[in-house]
Amino acid sequence: MAGAVGGGRGCVTLRGAQIRDLLDSKHNVLFDCDGVIWNGEAAVTGAPEVVSLLKQRGKRVFFVTNNCTRPRENYVQKFSRLGFTDVAEEEIFSSAYCSAAYLRDVARLQGKVFVIGCSGVMKELQDAGVPVLEEDEAADREPGISIYNYPLDPDVKAVLVGYDENFTFMKLAKASCYLMNSECLFLATDPDPWHPLRGGRITPGSGSLTAALETASSRKATVIGKPSRFMFECIASQFDLDPDRSLMVGDRLETDILFGSNCGLSTVLTLTGVSTLEEAHRYRDSEEPGQKDCVPDYVVESVADFLEALEE
Amino acid sequence: MASSKCTSLSGALSRQLTLTLLDSVDSVLFDCDGVIWRGDQTIPGAPEVINSLKKNGKRVFFVTNNSTKTRQMYADKLGKLGFNATADEVFGTAYCSAMYLKNVCKLDGKVYLIGSNAMKQELEEVGIQPVGVGPDPISGVQIDWANVPLDKEVQAVLVGFDEHFSYMKLNRALQYLCNPDCQFVGTNTDTRLPLEGGKAVPGTGCLLKAVETAAQRQAQVVGKPSSFMFECVASQFDLDPQKCLMVGDRLDTDIMLGSNCGMKTLLTLTGVSTVAEAEANQKSECPHRQRMVPDYYVDSIADILPALQA
């Protein structure tokens, strides 16, 4: 298998028979979503067929996304809307879902979590039965309450920060106060500094809000999302995955590919999203340690390139 | 200069040392938070120190990273708390950022401002028009945010302390900064703003970090320890750094500024940094840390009063 052995990483462009051989050697395929199987509300051409054919060939397919803006049930609807047939909720692992799983199963949180996050994050916590400190924006407007003076809830034992379009200075101040207690857990859904939108535009990501809170608290967050291993461990705990027989397909070198490296998976970069072939080559040719882990084993133009191999 | 450092000026035997130090300088630059006041309370003895220095013919300046007040607002606060001071002796980052944008960036357009009304006033005073000050709540959906209308005349983004900081402001700054020709300036990187009673509020450094992370760009920072703050004072008052004493409570801003600019440095222990931290820096091999060792330290600025009043 050309370039498959650890240390032989080299951005090998895959075609035809090589793709078939690669897929034959893997039992599990993990796909990132944004920029890989869809872009916004448009499926990447051929992606629904690829997923369908992989399943028909007996592969297990999982979706691993740092995007925490939707709960899993909404993702199921999106898959359906975009033409992906029979994608089950159990196959979808978002950073919001995994953050809730971490709090419930790994941290075994006894107490409430103070959340800086969107409704997608809140819903996953609710579904997992993790108690959330409800934001009381009306209380924030009471006379005498300000960023210099506000009550704290003694039951808060963790702070979770994720994408939050309603982020305010007040939330930052409260969260940093809770984090002054070293026993209070500090979690972040994902490290993405910005998210790509349609038409090459970008919007600030969870990573930028996490950076603000890390600076305020002089503490580092435990990051759940890619490239951290936790999302893989979450899947593995439910589905018994062998990393040697698993493939990670993504579009972002610093998250998807690094995630694959960190978990011992083979990695494929698709060029329908954020990272470019030039960037991959730059990591490959870099002298700096750690940069090599962002180099994908293989590169394809699009996941549609798998169709040729699968349709035989 | 480097051989005898981190010497205490507190205690009965230090009066001569203090007198020698004071005789060797003609100007004293004071940080404010944690040095002469905490929140709205003076450090006891601080007004007497400043006023005595002036009586002894020393020039006194106030150099603060705090961007929430104009020079005049600081002069008003100083006056109210018993300090004999005028607006032109105050160098806060609201004023210095305006000077920086005008004289260093040579800004010829508007600035998108994440900051206070004080910053807005100082900018307008030098003829720069800011946009964006005040609350900025979110509305619409994600794709709207990426397509917020941008003012074509904006040529820089300036980030200072802003209690109205929000996702929408972070987003607007990001959209402007996607243009590599748009300049990016921050008032300071302090992580926390200390208040009375041990409480603290997240500082400008947190907001700046959020914008830097989203935009994947580094801001030009105006405040201490950047030497621009000293150059601002020195250019207006013709200072010789070797005849200047920098008094502060933070090793990484005040003392670093002093070292970078060739001033003598005095650490007061009424604020953020401790003697243990200073001594650890002194023992370290790292040149960066060596610049964060004060020449002298006192428990409180009031400790130099006996020497002054002699």
Side-chain angles (χ1 to χ4, degrees):
Chain A
M1 185 80 264
V5 183
R9 303 224 147 112
C11 302
V12 175
T13 303
L14 283 179
R15 288 196 220 297
Q18 295 171 310
I19 301 182
R20 192 192 56 222
D21 289 343
L22 175 63
L23 291 176
D24 281 348
S25 73
K26 303 295 176 189
H27 184 49
N28 312 301
V29 184
L30 284 64
F31 286 99
D32 174 40
C33 298
D34 298 309
V36 178
I37 60 169
W38 60 50
N39 271 305
E41 278 290 310
V44 164
T45 310
E49 291 77 11
V50 167
V51 171
S52 214
L53 285 168
L54 281 167
K55 289 184 166 195
Q56 280 176 40
R57 297 269 179 289
K59 310 294 178 195
R60 288 194 300 185
V61 176
F62 302 100
F63 302 93
V64 188
T65 176
N66 275 0
N67 189 322
C68 62
T69 60
R70 291 170 200 274
R72 298 207 299 174
E73 62 218 42
N74 281 25
Y75 272 116
V76 172
Q77 290 166 14
K78 180 167 181 175
F79 274 105
S80 173
R81 207 162 56 235
L82 267 54
F84 294 82
T85 52
D86 70 50
V87 171
E89 199 174 294
E90 299 76 61
E91 294 163 344
I92 304 168
F93 289 80
S94 73
S95 59
Y97 170 77
C98 292
S99 297
Y102 184 97
L103 283 166
R104 186 192 57 206
D105 304 331
V106 178
R108 297 184 199 277
L109 191 73
Q110 303 289 320
K112 297 183 192 163
V113 57
F114 179 82
V115 182
I116 292 177
C118 52
S119 57
V121 175
M122 297 297 195
K123 185 69 171 53
E124 291 291 7
L125 289 166
Q126 244 178 3
D127 287 351
V130 176
V132 172
L133 176 64
E134 290 297 326
E135 254 306 287
D136 190 352
E137 287 179 26
D140 284 352
R141 288 194 290 271
E142 293 281 301
I145 302 298
S146 73
I147 58 169
Y148 305 104
N149 179 38
Y150 43 81
L152 293 179
D153 188 320
D155 288 337
V156 168
K157 300 284 192 286
V159 169
L160 172 64
V161 55
Y163 183 86
D164 184 3
E165 69 271 23
N166 293 305
F167 185 76
T168 58
F169 194 98
M170 182 64 119
K171 290 185 179 185
L172 176 65
K174 287 183 176 177
S176 66
C177 244
Y178 285 120
L179 290 173
M180 290 209 294
N181 175 2
S182 57
E183 309 261 305
C184 181
L185 294 180
F186 184 11
L187 294 196
T189 55
D190 70 276
D192 298 355
W194 48 264
H195 300 305
L197 299 177
R198 253 176 291 145
R201 312 305 299 262
I202 63 176
T203 193
S206 314
S208 61
L209 306 185
T210 305
L213 189 47
E214 286 184 331
T215 307
S217 62
S218 301
R219 290 178 59 171
K220 280 256 164 251
T222 298
V223 180
I224 300 299
K226 301 170 283 184
S228 147
R229 289 178 49 97
F230 184 71
M231 300 246 274
F232 181 75
E233 284 161 16
C234 204
I235 307 174
S237 72
Q238 295 179 24
F239 290 95
D240 192 26
L241 296 185
D242 177 1
D244 282 339
R245 303 257 287 151
S246 305
L247 183 66
M248 176 70 205
V249 184
D251 71 308
R252 207 161 178 169
L253 296 165
E254 300 81 8
T255 47
D256 304 318
I257 304 306
L258 184 52
F259 170 74
S261 300
N262 287 342
C263 303
L265 314 178
S266 298
T267 53
V268 178
L269 175 74
T270 83
L271 301 176
T272 42
V274 169
S275 298
T276 64
L277 190 58
E278 291 70 38
E279 287 163 353
H281 287 161
R282 245 180 276 141
Y283 278 117
R284 183 194 59 192
D285 301 333
S286 161
E287 297 286 323
E288 282 177 63
Q291 303 249 309
K292 295 270 188 281
D293 292 335
C294 291
V295 180
D297 293 313
Y298 310 103
V299 181
V300 293
E301 286 292 326
S302 146
V303 293
D305 293 1
F306 287 19
L307 275 175
E308 198 190 341
L310 289 167
E311 275 165 348
E312 283 162 17
Chain B
M1 172 69 93
S3 49
S4 77
K5 282 205 127 195
C6 229
T7 307
S8 172
L9 291 184
S10 296
L13 302 175
S14 321
R15 212 157 78 138
Q16 190 53 55
L17 257 179
T18 309
L19 279 167
T20 311
L21 171 64
L22 292 172
D23 280 342
S24 73
V25 300
D26 56 35
S27 307
V28 186
L29 286 68
F30 285 92
D31 174 40
C32 299
D33 296 304
V35 179
I36 63 171
W37 61 48
R38 275 203 214 99
D40 284 329
Q41 304 236 319
T42 55
I43 299 291
E48 290 82 351
V49 167
I50 269 80
N51 300 342
S52 294
L53 280 167
K54 288 190 161 188
K55 274 212 204 81
N56 284 354
K58 308 295 180 194
R59 288 186 299 184
V60 171
F61 302 101
F62 304 90
V63 182
T64 174
N65 275 359
N66 192 317
S67 61
T68 63
K69 292 182 169 36
T70 61
R71 321 178 81 190
Q72 190 53 54
M73 289 171 181
Y74 269 117
D76 293 343
K77 178 172 177 175
L78 285 160
K80 228 170 68 171
L81 293 176
F83 296 88
N84 172 11
T86 55
D88 63 345
E89 291 164 345
V90 179
F91 291 79
T93 49
Y95 171 69
C96 292
S97 300
M99 295 302 282
Y100 186 88
L101 281 170
K102 186 166 147 109
N103 299 331
V104 177
C105 298
K106 310 241 189 271
L107 196 72
D108 177 31
K110 297 181 187 171
V111 59
Y112 177 69
L113 174 61
I114 291 179
S116 55
N117 275 315
M119 290 179 70
K120 179 168 186 270
Q121 282 177 47
E122 294 285 22
L123 286 162
E124 286 168 342
E125 207 131 309
V126 301
I128 297 176
Q129 199 197 329
V131 297
V133 179
D136 192 358
I138 202 93
S139 62
V141 294
Q142 259 195 345
I143 197 62
D144 300 329
W145 312 333
N147 288 310
V148 284
L150 298 182
D151 187 325
K152 287 191 171 54
E153 292 179 67
V154 165
Q155 294 193 359
V157 168
L158 174 61
V159 179
F161 186 80
D162 185 352
E163 59 183 286
H164 296 295
F165 188 78
S166 64
Y167 184 85
M168 190 47 133
K169 289 192 170 200
L170 171 61
N171 176 57
R172 282 191 216 272
L174 170 62
Q175 303 310 329
Y176 281 116
L177 290 170
C178 282
N179 172 2
D181 293 330
C182 181
Q183 304 222 43
F184 184 15
V185 181
T187 54
N188 61 301
T189 56
D190 297 56
T191 59
R192 295 168 79 66
L193 187 66
L195 301 172
E196 255 311 309
K199 261 204 155 182
V201 163
T204 305
C206 309
L207 311 184
L208 191 55
K209 227 356 179 243
V211 180
E212 286 186 326
T213 303
Q216 295 284 285
R217 287 178 61 169
Q218 287 248 280
Q220 301 167 64
V221 180
V222 171
K224 300 173 282 183
S226 155
S227 52
F228 181 75
M229 293 292 275
F230 176 72
E231 283 155 24
C232 230
V233 191
S235 64
Q236 290 183 24
F237 289 93
D238 193 26
L239 299 183
D240 173 3
Q242 295 195 336
K243 299 235 185 93
C244 292
L245 175 65
M246 176 72 212
V247 184
D249 69 308
R250 285 189 74 129
L251 296 169
D252 60 345
T253 50
D254 307 314
I255 304 306
M256 176 77 99
L257 175 70
S259 302
N260 286 347
C261 299
M263 298 189 265
K264 299 179 175 55
T265 53
L266 172 64
L267 176 73
T268 77
L269 301 177
T270 41
V272 171
S273 298
T274 65
V275 183
E277 287 163 354
E279 287 172 346
N281 286 343
Q282 191 174 23
K283 292 199 184 78
S284 124
E285 300 277 313
C286 170
H288 177 77
R289 288 181 71 179
Q290 285 288 330
R291 287 202 293 277
M292 295 193 282
V293 181
D295 294 313
Y296 305 98
Y297 68 90
V298 284
D299 292 330
S300 147
I301 195 58
D303 294 355
I304 69 170
L305 205 48
L308 272 173
Q309 286 171 339

